[in-house]
Amino acid sequence: MSLRTRLILTHAFIILLTLAILAVSLAFILRDYQRQVQLSRLGDAVVPLAFQARAMFQNDVPPSEALARLQPQAGQVGSIIIVTDKGLVLADAAYGLTNRTINLTPIARAQAPRGFFWGSLVVRPGRVLLYAAIAAGQTGGQNVYVALANVERPLFEALDEIGVGLAVAGGITLLVSLLVALMLARSIARPLTRLTQATEAIARGQYDHRVQAKGRDEIGRLAASFNAMAEQVQGARQMEKDFVANVSHELKTPLTSIQGFAQAILDGTAQDIAGARRAAQTIFEEAARMARLVGDLLTLARFESHQTPMARDLIDLNDRLPQWVERFRARAAAAGETIVTVLDPLPEIVGDAGRLEQVVANLVENALRYNHPGGSVTVTAKSSAIVSARKSSILAWRRIVATPPPQWITISVADTGEGIPKEDLPRLFERFYRGDKARVAGGTGLGLAIAKEIVVAHGGAITVESELGRGSTFTVRLPARNNQSASRGNS
């Protein structure tokens, strides 16, 4: 059964149940109204009869004879009953209650005139009399009442009278409600159907499929969430394709070299010892290149699964950072490039020195690789304090100890190369992403992604700014020791 059908049937059931409850409630209300009308008619008709009965009793007329004289005047309003204040029926015109003691059950009525007495009397199961009584003096030394009684109409008679009207109104209401339910079910089921079709399209590999998100209700938010999910899935699939293409390219070249030089050794092309050594050296270098690629992939996979342990050592970058940069000076000199280091006094940080060295080495190596011949690479490190406004209540009668503002260490690596195109900047730190120039220059394309994971694991951030023809600047921002201590203390 579809969702639309279930919504319509549920709506119809609720309407029918509401109509049934309304009909029963209305019947009870009408019965109470009819009872009050009937009691009022009895009360109005019994007044003149009571005056006549009082005069008869004063002239010692027996109750049976008084009943015979008064009943024709009651007409169709009801039957007369003459009863004592103890409940003994002295005369009864229609119900066979003469000489029986009855239980007079009073019925409270608002604004009842003085001297009136209303009540109900059960003659037999299912037959209830309503009566209005008024004092009519004495007879035989007993206080007597003249009551005018009539049978109360049953509940089902009231239902029979309003049944046709209720059926017509219920039918119209049900028809209108079904139309409303159909429109409501359609408005709910249609976007869900589109979402289902879109989900099936994503499952078939159509990752660019989107749904139209309308409104701010739950369906609209669901459609927006689906579009966001589909966009992320499409991006992940594109990253996977880029990864396969990059890894295939990186593996193809060393495998081709290894296969070719191994074949040269096997078929005797490299006959002398020198040729064999050159072939073996090439095979060794290409195998090492493949090992680096596999190592980077494993490192990144460990970072993604949060399985890479990070040391929490105290690091003095005033000593460590120059050492990390110094080992690239020989390579820069061989390429005709220069490395300029500008270091301000830096506070200590807590982290993994080996991993941070890997980040700095990757940035400096990339800067040297993509620089112009004769260009320069500038490594700058400085600390900065971020002052935030603090408000203290003057109502707190205690001394507030001022805490120092948080300090950050900023390490920038700038080159004077060709720069990076703007379209490549947003994806530069994505896993497995490589631009065309990066592929030509070599490398695995995973270094910046690994560097970002390391910096984020230290509570920092890494950004890039670049301008074509003027070079690029990579900036690493790390929290100083007091920031990390405060963070651990607040956690």
Side-chain angles (χ1 to χ4, degrees):
M1 186 180 295
S2 65
L3 176 61
R4 179 183 299 180
T5 304
R6 282 183 290 174
L7 287 173
I8 294 176
L9 292 179
T10 302
H11 193 83
F13 173 76
I14 294 175
I15 293 298
L16 290 175
L17 181 61
T18 303
L19 289 176
I21 295 174
L22 179 62
V24 175
S25 302
L26 185 60
F28 278 101
I29 294 173
L30 287 177
R31 186 183 70 168
D32 185 70
Y33 174 74
Q34 288 180 349
R35 168 180 284 188
Q36 298 299 325
V37 172
Q38 192 172 358
L39 289 174
S40 297
R41 292 182 60 190
L42 292 173
D44 293 339
V46 78
V47 173
L49 298 176
F51 279 110
Q52 297 181 38
R54 182 185 296 271
M56 294 180 188
F57 292 148
Q58 289 176 353
N59 293 323
D60 295 329
V61 176
S64 58
E65 184 178 348
L67 176 65
R69 295 180 185 179
L70 295 174
Q71 183 58 48
Q73 301 180 33
Q76 300 297 322
V77 179
S79 299
I80 296 176
I81 300 175
I82 300 176
V83 59
T84 68
D85 56 357
K86 304 297 182 182
L88 177 62
V89 179
L90 300 179
D92 173 27
Y95 305 112
L97 301 176
T98 306
N99 297 325
R100 290 175 55 184
T101 302
I102 60 177
N103 183 17
L104 301 176
T105 304
I107 297 177
R109 296 194 65 197
Q111 300 179 351
R114 186 176 180 182
F116 275 89
F117 182 78
W118 285 272
S120 62
L121 178 64
V122 179
V123 180
R124 62 176 182 270
R127 187 178 178 87
V128 179
L129 297 179
L130 296 179
Y131 62 86
I134 190 171
Q138 291 185 345
T139 180
Q142 302 181 74
N143 295 324
V144 294
Y145 287 87
V146 173
L148 191 60
N150 205 342
V151 178
E152 183 180 16
R153 298 183 62 190
L155 172 63
F156 291 105
E157 289 188 10
L159 285 177
D160 290 339
E161 290 185 1
I162 64 174
V164 177
L166 281 178
V168 174
I172 296 175
T173 304
L174 182 61
L175 180 61
V176 174
S177 65
L178 287 177
L179 292 177
V180 173
L182 181 62
M183 296 174 60
L184 179 63
R186 185 178 181 183
S187 65
I188 295 176
R190 178 177 291 181
L192 291 179
T193 301
R194 288 197 290 262
L195 282 171
T196 303
Q197 296 173 350
T199 304
E200 294 172 351
I202 294 293
R204 291 192 300 267
Q206 301 175 8
Y207 301 108
D208 57 344
H209 197 91
R210 300 291 185 271
V211 293
Q212 187 175 4
K214 295 182 179 180
R216 297 182 179 180
D217 56 0
E218 290 79 0
I219 301 296
R221 292 198 299 269
L222 179 61
S225 299
F226 175 85
N227 290 335
M229 180 200 67
E231 186 174 353
Q232 292 179 0
V233 171
Q234 185 179 14
R237 289 293 297 172
Q238 185 62 42
M239 289 173 61
E240 182 180 351
K241 291 179 180 179
D242 294 342
F243 163 69
V244 173
N246 290 329
V247 172
S248 299
H249 178 83
E250 292 296 331
L251 292 178
K252 181 179 180 180
T253 302
L255 285 176
T256 302
S257 299
I258 291 173
Q259 184 179 11
F261 283 96
Q263 184 67 34
I265 295 175
L266 289 175
D267 61 14
T269 303
Q271 297 180 355
D272 56 351
I273 298 299
R277 285 181 178 275
R278 286 194 300 271
Q281 181 66 29
T282 302
I283 293 174
F284 176 79
E285 291 175 353
E286 296 299 331
R289 179 180 174 185
M290 293 178 60
R292 288 194 301 271
L293 174 62
V294 173
D296 287 345
L297 290 174
L298 291 176
T299 300
L300 191 57
R302 292 191 186 100
F303 273 113
E304 290 178 340
S305 59
H306 304 286
Q307 296 179 355
T308 302
M310 301 292 290
R312 305 293 298 177
D313 300 327
L314 196 61
I315 305 174
D316 185 1
L317 291 179
N318 296 289
D319 296 332
R320 293 294 187 94
L321 191 57
Q323 297 175 9
W324 296 343
V325 177
E326 188 65 26
R327 64 189 183 93
F328 289 96
R329 291 193 182 277
R331 176 178 172 180
E337 303 177 32
T338 58
I339 297 180
V340 180
T341 305
V342 181
L343 303 179
D344 290 344
L346 303 174
E348 295 178 330
I349 66 172
V350 177
D352 192 321
R355 293 296 183 183
L356 293 177
E357 181 182 4
Q358 183 178 353
V359 173
V360 175
N362 179 270
L363 296 180
V364 175
E365 185 177 5
N366 286 344
L368 294 173
R369 179 182 301 165
Y370 303 119
N371 211 352
H372 286 303
S376 63
V377 175
T378 304
V379 179
T380 305
K382 60 182 179 179
S383 63
S384 60
I386 300 177
V387 180
S388 60
R390 295 177 177 267
K391 295 182 180 180
S392 60
S393 175
I394 61 174
L395 299 178
W397 294 92
R398 57 183 174 179
R399 180 177 298 176
I400 300 177
V401 179
T403 57
Q407 285 187 303
W408 294 86
I409 295 176
T410 302
I411 303 174
S412 300
V413 179
D415 62 61
T416 56
E418 296 182 1
I420 303 171
K422 290 185 178 180
E423 59 271 16
D424 289 341
L425 289 178
R427 301 187 59 189
L428 202 60
F429 295 100
E430 289 184 6
R431 297 166 178 83
F432 317 125
Y433 179 78
R434 296 176 64 206
D436 292 336
K437 294 181 180 179
R439 180 175 291 112
V440 173
T444 63
L446 301 174
L448 290 178
I450 295 175
K452 180 180 178 180
E453 294 289 346
I454 294 174
V455 173
V456 171
H458 283 77
I462 182 171
T463 57
V464 59
E465 296 178 357
S466 184
E467 184 178 350
L468 290 178
R470 302 189 64 177
S472 306
T473 301
F474 287 82
T475 303
V476 175
R477 190 165 171 260
L478 297 171
R481 180 187 178 188
N482 59 344
N483 298 20
Q484 296 173 335
S485 300
S487 300
R488 290 195 298 273
N490 294 332
S491 61

